[in-house]
Amino acid sequence: MHANEQLIQKFYTAFQNKDGQTMVGCYHPDIEFQDPAFGSLKGKEAGAMWLMLIERSQNLTIRFSNIKADDFKGSADWEADYSFSKTGRTVQNKIHANFTFKDGKILIHKDHFSMWKWLGMAMGPVGYLLGWWPALGNKVKKEALTGLQLYMKRKRM
């Protein structure tokens, strides 16, 4: 197994074990993270997001597969099952991740998933009906970023 495949496996195994510090340790100090829910996060924000999600998670289950990597790029598929805190609704999110590496760490991490499907699971009929509307996705992103900033302030990060 390539060293960067082992790095991806270490990252998701830590996520399964709710070990945010190990996850953050897999990231390069100049990490750039991107996904549909948070948008673009850099540096400490990216690591803090995982710490926050793990701390707030209830009944979170993570599965991962299809890890592939070479010296520069990698990818994996992963799934997260959990209850969305605002509605209590069950979410089963399927995500494809792409990675770029530098100095034995993850430099760029991009998660790809359907925001429309996620909104439908997390918010129910309203999410299914209005999930295609950019304003709803933007509202969710704004709330996620506000929550992250409050978390970082509270944790003095």
Side-chain angles (χ1 to χ4, degrees):
M1 182 179 280
H2 191 281
N4 287 331
E5 289 176 330
Q6 291 175 351
L7 181 62
I8 294 170
Q9 184 167 347
K10 179 180 178 179
F11 181 84
Y12 287 115
T13 299
F15 199 6
Q16 284 178 324
N17 295 328
K18 297 178 177 60
D19 181 357
Q21 293 301 328
T22 297
M23 293 176 72
V24 172
C26 293
Y27 275 174
H28 190 279
D30 298 326
I31 182 66
E32 295 179 27
F33 174 84
Q34 184 177 1
D35 85 348
F38 284 90
S40 183
L41 303 174
K42 294 183 180 184
K44 289 181 182 179
E45 282 185 335
M49 177 210 47
W50 295 115
L51 296 171
M52 178 184 76
L53 291 176
I54 287 171
E55 186 177 302
R56 292 181 178 177
S57 70
Q58 294 182 19
N59 70 345
L60 173 68
T61 304
I62 301 295
R63 291 176 305 285
F64 59 93
S65 61
N66 300 322
I67 295 173
K68 297 175 184 151
D70 59 25
D71 290 341
F72 306 103
K73 295 186 183 275
S75 64
D77 295 316
W78 65 283
E79 296 180 36
D81 297 345
Y82 58 95
S83 295
F84 183 57
S85 60
K86 290 194 176 204
T87 62
R89 296 180 61 85
T90 300
V91 173
Q92 295 176 314
N93 202 11
K94 295 182 180 185
I95 301 128
H96 179 76
N98 290 310
F99 302 93
T100 303
F101 307 100
K102 181 178 178 184
D103 302 328
K105 301 280 187 177
I106 299 168
L107 177 66
I108 299 172
H109 177 178
K110 293 184 179 180
D111 278 350
H112 308 276
F113 61 88
S114 169
M115 191 64 165
W116 174 70
K117 286 181 182 178
W118 183 88
L119 285 165
M121 288 182 280
M123 302 178 123
V126 171
Y128 280 115
L129 291 173
L130 299 177
W132 56 269
W133 189 37
L136 183 57
N138 290 337
K139 181 179 186 244
V140 168
K141 189 183 300 182
K142 183 178 180 182
E143 288 177 5
L145 290 172
T146 299
L148 178 59
Q149 294 304 321
L150 290 171
Y151 176 83
M152 291 178 72
K153 185 175 181 179
R154 193 173 77 248
K155 297 291 184 173
R156 297 186 175 138
M157 300 174 105

